[in-house]
Amino acid sequence: MREMEVLTVNGGRELFGSVRIPGAKNSVLPIMAAAVLCRGTVTITDAPVLSDVRACIRILNRIGCAVSLCGTNIRITPPANPGSSIPHELMRSMRSSLFFLAPMLARTGRAEICMPGGCRLGARPIDMHLDGLAHMGAEITEKQDGSWLLRAENGLKGTEIGLRFPSVGATETLLMAACTAHGTTVLHNAAQEPEVVDLARFLQSAGAQISGVGTPELCITGTDFLFGTQYAVCPDRITAATVMCAVAGCGGEVLLTNIRCGDVQSITQLLERAGCSFVPLGKDAAVIASHGRPRAPGSWKTGVHPDFPTDAAPLAAAALLRAEGESAVTDSVFENRFACADGFCRMGAQAQVSGRTLRLNGVPELCGAHVTAPDLRGGAALVLAALQAQGTSVIAGTEHINRGYENIAALFSRLGASVTAAEKQQEVSGMAE
Ligand code: EPZ
């Protein structure tokens, strides 16, 4: 028998109350890796408490960093000579293990990695990371087992790089590599996501010389080293989107605090088209409300920031499963964003995937079912569907969900939902997985 955690949801309730949005997962993870560049202690505050953060700590320990986690504060002290290789099982635990490549290479002149893990959203190659580092002078050797050894004994050199796509991860890798390179690096077509801005602001607080932050043109003048600093992580706009889409789907009224309204504009505009109201209160709070069935907002596409974020696409789809009319969302970023559609259909939704597009035809009612989370945001989307469904749903695969949410059961229970997490015995099939 194998223990596995499942979520049990008794749906059909409206949501009321208030939620403080935690720090951003996709900001704290690259910042933790960037700490390896610093010759001094880095204190990160308002960090979310996630399994991916714990996985990052395991990698930091493995390369010799002293790390202490106290609530939402993480203190990282790199050694004088950090390690330069990450074991395959740690690399494969998440996509964010890739963020250690540039700091190890820049700090030690060497880095040994294999393909990272992460949500199965498509091919997710790392060519832009490797090509950019090669452009900065790294020598790259692909090894028999498919892993890579990168060397830059004399350090990396500043250069001009044009990204063929504004990749978030590749922008972050090259931004970190350039901070202590010899000379100036210009990144064209750089990603502008709030989490990329947050990493740049962290690096600046540690002494990096970066201009153009928040634009597609980043200019970085290398310095000899970065020093220790203290930095507060920006709010997680996708967690905010998760709560807002839950209210849109279930009905109710929720106060969101520690939210940056500018970061979620494309999401609130879509939800307002679906009949929700979103009222900002001051600079870091807002109220989201929805009464009755949502209206189908028609078709829309995801894109790079400031367009509608790919991570919120399954969440918004869940909010529209009972909307009056037809909706369709196309993800222009990943090939396989809507693996959660099967789970939606098991709950009685009319949801169909063709290529990168998910088409929905709203139904008056969903019914509880047994479903399995296919990935992080797809799993959260199934929770949102279960919150609307009449009856009981059981959601397996919560290890995906726990990578990006501190405690999704508590998050929604505090708003009046009935969600519990429990260990469940599972017959281990004789078949190899
Ligand atoms: C980051 O992934 C986020 N993850 C993702 O969030 C997010 O969905 C994504 O950015 C887009 O916003 C983290 O920050 C840890 P990309 P990343 O490089 O960096 C292709 C979540 O749920 N590509 O912008 O992997 C790639 O295949 C996660 O929190 C290459 O072809 O995204 C994809 O089609 C899921 N070659 C597109 O670019 C490369 O070298 C965008 O990927 C790199 C990427």
Side-chain angles (χ1 to χ4, degrees), residues 25-26 29 95-96 99 119 121 123-129 164-170 172 193 237 310-311 333-335 337 356 376-377:
K25 160 179 111 68
N26 291 347
L29 297 174
R95 178 79 178 181
S96 297
F99 291 137
C119 292
L121 302 170
R124 302 189 82 177
I126 63 171
D127 58 302
M128 286 192 266
H129 299 248
R164 63 176 166 78
F165 177 88
S167 154
V168 168
E172 291 169 335
E193 274 67 6
R237 61 196 170 110
T310 170
D311 292 344
V333 177
F334 289 110
E335 306 93 297
R337 172 55 82 177
R356 293 185 176 217
L376 165 52
R377 306 304 172 181

Side-chain angles (χ1 to χ4, degrees), residues 13-220:
R13 305 182 185 189
E14 291 192 318
L15 303 176
F16 294 95
S18 68
V19 172
R20 181 185 186 280
I21 300 301
K25 160 179 111 68
N26 291 347
S27 183
V28 72
L29 297 174
I31 288 174
M32 289 174 77
V36 174
L37 289 167
C38 300
R39 298 182 188 210
T41 294
V42 168
T43 301
I44 303 168
T45 61
D46 211 10
V49 181
L50 306 169
S51 59
D52 272 10
V53 168
R54 290 190 288 274
C56 246
I57 292 173
R58 284 194 288 277
I59 294 175
L60 285 165
N61 288 155
R62 189 64 186 239
I63 60 177
C65 299
V67 186
S68 66
L69 172 63
C70 179
T72 58
N73 292 347
I74 306 171
R75 278 170 64 84
I76 301 167
T77 305
N81 299 299
S84 59
S85 70
I86 299 176
H88 291 194
E89 74 274 6
L90 286 181
M91 276 303 298
R92 293 197 179 112
S93 62
M94 57 184 175
R95 178 79 178 181
S96 297
S97 51
L98 182 58
F99 291 137
F100 286 87
L101 170 59
M104 289 191 302
L105 181 63
R107 185 76 192 266
T108 72
R110 186 181 183 281
E112 210 167 344
I113 63 154
C114 67
M115 266 307 274
C119 292
R120 288 192 296 276
L121 302 170
R124 302 189 82 177
I126 63 171
D127 58 302
M128 286 192 266
H129 299 248
L130 298 178
D131 293 350
L133 292 172
H135 219 52
M136 297 178 75
E139 291 162 33
I140 303 177
T141 311
E142 185 160 353
K143 297 164 69 176
Q144 284 288 342
D145 62 0
S147 63
W148 291 274
L149 170 62
L150 286 84
R151 280 191 298 262
E153 269 91 12
N154 302 317
L156 294 164
K157 62 181 190 329
T159 184
E160 278 208 67
I161 299 172
L163 289 174
R164 63 176 166 78
F165 177 88
S167 154
V168 168
T171 301
E172 291 169 335
T173 281
L174 299 173
L175 184 56
M176 290 188 276
C179 285
T180 57
H182 303 295
T184 297
T185 300
V186 179
L187 286 185
H188 300 286
N189 199 26
Q192 305 171 69
E193 274 67 6
E195 296 77 21
V196 177
V197 171
D198 219 29
L199 173 64
R201 296 275 186 248
F202 164 79
L203 292 165
Q204 286 173 323
S205 79
Q209 305 296 312
I210 308 169
S211 60
V213 177
T215 77
E217 302 286 318
L218 292 174
C219 181
I220 308 104

Side-chain angles (χ1 to χ4, degrees), residues 256-270:
L256 301 155
T257 58
N258 192 43
I259 180 173
R260 273 192 333 203
C261 299
D263 288 353
V264 294
Q265 200 167 11
S266 61
I267 299 158
T268 54
Q269 284 169 351
L270 180 89

